[in-house]
Amino acid sequence: MARLNHHFLKLTTGYLFPEIARRVARFEQDRPEAAARIIRCGIGDVTEPLPAAALEAMHAAVDELSRRETFRGYPPATGYDFVREAIVDGDFHPRGCDIGADEIFLSDGSKPDASAILEILGCDNVIAVADPVYPVYVDTNVMAGHTGEALTGGDAGRYGGIVYLDTGADNGFIASPPTAHADIAYLCFPNNPTGAVATRAQLESWVRWARDHDALILFDAAYEAFITDPSIPHSIYEIPGAREVAIEFRSFSKIGGFTGVRAGYTVVPKGITGSAPDGGRHSLHALWSRRWATCSNGVSWPVQRGVAALYTDLGRRQTSELVRFYLENARLLSESLRAAGLRVWGGVNAPYVWASCPAGFSSWQTFDLLLGEAQVVVTPGSGFGRCGEGYFRVSAFNGRENVIEAGKRMAALTSVGSSR
Ligand code: PLP
C-alpha cells in the first residue's frame, strides 16, 4: 500500500488564488454581461513582453541548438559559469557583497527554491514568519512536516510550531526579530504582500539576532529591483555578518518578465553551517550542492543565455524600463486608492500596493465589493494571514490602460465609506 505524505492533510485552506479564481468564475457565471469588464489586479503576474536583449539572446541560443558544432546538452546543474559570474558582477560586487560565483545556484525560479531548501533543513527547526506573509513559506513547511497541526479558534489559519510575527500599520508592516525561540526566519523585502521595505538598521537587527541565536535567515529578495530609495539595501549580504547566517533567494520573474520563462537563483554562502543530530556542524553549501547534483539537471541553455543578457548594458537599460513602468502603475493605483479615501502602503519600492479596507468591510467583503461594483480583482489581505485582515493588495503588474481604468473605477467607490 502506498502511503501518502500525511502532512499535506494538515493544509487548511487551498492556496489563496484558487479561492479568488472560484469567486471570479462565479461572478462571470452570475453576471455574464459584466464579465468582459473584469480587470485583474490580483495575482502578481507580469503583463509586458520580455526585454528585447533577452529575447534576442534566447533566439540565438535556440539556433545554436540546431547545429552540431554549437549544440548543448545537459548544463551544469547549478548554472554555467558565465551566468553565475554575470550575477555576482551585476547584483553583488557593486553593492560591496562578498559573494562568489560558486555560491550562486541558478534555478527555474525562487518559489521552487524556497520549497526545495527545506530538503536540506531539519524537520525540527522552529520557523518564524511575519504575518501577513507570502503563503508559500508556511505551506511548504507544512507539506514538509516541519510544523504542527492546523490551529483552530482565534488561531485558525495558523499552524502549531510556527512563530508568527505580527505586523501592522503601527510597525510599518516590518517584523522585529522574535523574542520566542526560532531557528529559521523568513524575511521578504521588498515585501509581498505589503510592499514594505526594511531599512539597513532593521536588517542589521535581524542579522544580529541570527548571529546571537545561531539562527538562519531565509531572505527572499524577489522584488529587489523595485527599490527606488537609495538607502534601502537590496541584498541581505549588504549587512556585515550576513554571510554566515543568511541564504538569499532571487528571481528573474519580475525584473526580467520571466514568470513564464522561469529562472531565479539562490545564494548559499560557504560560511553557513547547520548542526547535525550529533552536534557536528556541516556546510549548508555542501548539502545544497549535493542536492542540486542529485535532483536537478539545471536550467535550459536558451534560458541561461536569456538570463545573462539581462546583465548586459542593453539588458539592464531594458529591465530598468520595465521596472519603472510597473512602478508608475503602482503610483497611479496608490493615487486612486487614496482618492477613494483609503490608507495606502507600499507601491514605492515595490510593485504591490497595500490598502486598508473601507470602514466596516473585511478583506473578503472588500474583494466582493470591488469585483461586484468595479469589476476589479484584488487580493484579500486576510489570505496572507490574520494580520492581513482589513487590508487588500493591488498588484501593479498590468497594462497601463487597465491600471488607469481600474484606478478610475476604484476611486469612484468613495461612496462605500472612509478608511479605517
Ligand atoms: N517570492 C515572492 C515573495 C513572490 O511574491 C514570488 C512570486 O509571486 C516568488 C517568490 C516566486 O518567484 P518565481 O516566479 O521566481 O518562482
Side-chain angles (χ1 to χ4, degrees):
M1 180 174 54
R3 273 171 286 277
L4 48 72
N5 176 352
H6 65 277
H7 299 297
F8 275 59
L9 306 179
K10 293 177 190 164
L11 291 165
T12 43
T13 49
Y15 189 64
L16 169 63
F17 294 103
E19 174 59 17
I20 293 176
R22 200 184 61 75
R23 291 192 189 213
V24 172
R26 199 178 55 203
F27 176 85
E28 286 171 330
Q29 209 172 31
D30 294 349
R31 293 188 45 196
E33 82 295 346
R37 274 172 52 83
I38 291 176
I39 299 175
R40 289 176 165 78
C41 298
I43 197 159
D45 196 0
V46 295
T47 55
E48 303 309 297
L50 296 184
L55 276 176
E56 276 163 31
M58 287 196 278
H59 277 301
V62 170
D63 287 342
E64 284 174 305
L65 298 179
S66 71
R67 295 186 297 275
R68 181 165 288 115
E69 311 79 62
T70 49
F71 174 78
R72 305 271 174 156
Y74 286 127
T78 54
Y80 282 103
D81 285 346
F82 71 88
V83 182
R84 300 167 95 194
E85 277 154 19
I87 288 171
V88 291
D89 288 345
D91 291 344
F92 296 102
H93 295 164
R95 298 192 173 278
C97 306
D98 177 22
I99 296 296
D102 55 355
E103 295 173 319
I104 303 292
F105 295 76
L106 192 72
S107 74
D108 63 340
S110 72
K111 190 184 199 179
D113 283 357
S115 168
I117 200 75
L118 300 183
E119 293 173 26
I120 65 162
L121 298 170
C123 57
D124 46 359
N125 285 307
V126 174
I127 69 154
V129 295
D131 183 347
V133 64
Y134 176 51
V136 169
Y137 309 146
V138 172
D139 288 4
T140 50
N141 274 281
V142 175
M143 291 169 171
H146 294 190
T147 71
E149 296 293 333
L151 302 177
T152 53
D155 282 329
R158 292 187 164 188
Y159 293 89
I162 294 183
V163 173
Y164 289 89
L165 307 171
D166 291 357
T167 71
D170 51 339
N171 57 12
F173 298 97
I174 306 283
S176 298
T179 45
H181 171 79
D183 302 293
I184 297 173
Y186 284 84
L187 296 182
C188 174
F189 295 115
N191 188 261
N192 178 11
T194 65
V197 283
T199 62
R200 182 172 296 275
Q202 285 164 330
L203 292 179
E204 279 168 356
S205 76
W206 272 102
V207 169
R208 211 165 31 246
W209 166 81
R211 294 181 71 90
D212 289 350
H213 294 82
D214 196 10
L216 175 68
I217 292 172
L218 297 179
F219 191 80
D220 188 341
Y223 299 100
E224 63 76 33
F226 293 85
I227 294 172
T228 53
D229 180 339
S231 73
I232 300 292
H234 289 232
S235 166
I236 191 69
Y237 304 118
E238 290 180 56
I239 309 301
R243 261 191 68 85
E244 290 77 35
V245 293
I247 285 173
E248 184 163 302
F249 302 115
R250 292 280 188 111
S251 170
F252 296 104
S253 283
K254 310 300 158 77
I255 183 175
F258 271 36
T259 54
V261 174
R262 307 303 306 145
Y265 65 89
T266 296
V267 188
V268 184
K270 291 185 175 160
I272 307 181
T273 59
S275 69
D278 64 3
R281 307 286 304 205
H282 298 269
S283 157
L284 291 187
H285 182 277
L287 263 62
W288 188 237
S289 300
R290 182 62 199 265
R291 186 261 168 210
W292 273 91
T294 304
C295 304
S296 173
N297 273 328
V299 172
S300 77
W301 172 245
V303 171
Q304 298 212 35
R305 286 286 306 273
V307 167
L310 298 178
Y311 288 94
T312 60
D313 288 345
L314 184 62
R316 283 170 172 287
R317 276 201 301 280
Q318 291 170 347
T319 52
S320 302
E321 257 170 53
L322 207 50
V323 164
R324 266 201 304 276
F325 174 82
Y326 290 124
L327 282 173
E328 174 61 7
N329 283 352
R331 192 189 66 76
L332 293 168
L333 289 164
S334 303
E335 253 181 22
S336 304
L337 292 164
R338 285 197 185 96
L342 305 179
R343 286 185 74 195
V344 171
W345 295 263
V348 176
N349 294 296
Y352 295 118
V353 179
W354 183 247
S356 58
C357 294
F361 282 71
S362 70
S363 293
W364 277 110
Q365 284 168 336
T366 304
F367 173 89
D368 289 335
L369 172 85
L370 288 171
L371 178 58
E373 301 296 317
Q375 287 79 61
V376 174
V377 180
V378 298
T379 310
S382 57
F384 298 102
R386 78 169 180 220
C387 296
E389 180 54 85
Y391 301 93
F392 64 99
R393 188 193 77 174
V394 186
S395 165
F397 293 116
N398 220 321
R400 184 58 48 78
E401 265 180 43
N402 275 349
V403 163
I404 291 172
E405 179 61 23
K408 236 190 269 172
R409 293 190 208 160
M410 291 193 292
L413 282 181
T414 43
S415 58
V416 296
S418 59
S419 178
R420 299 161 352 128

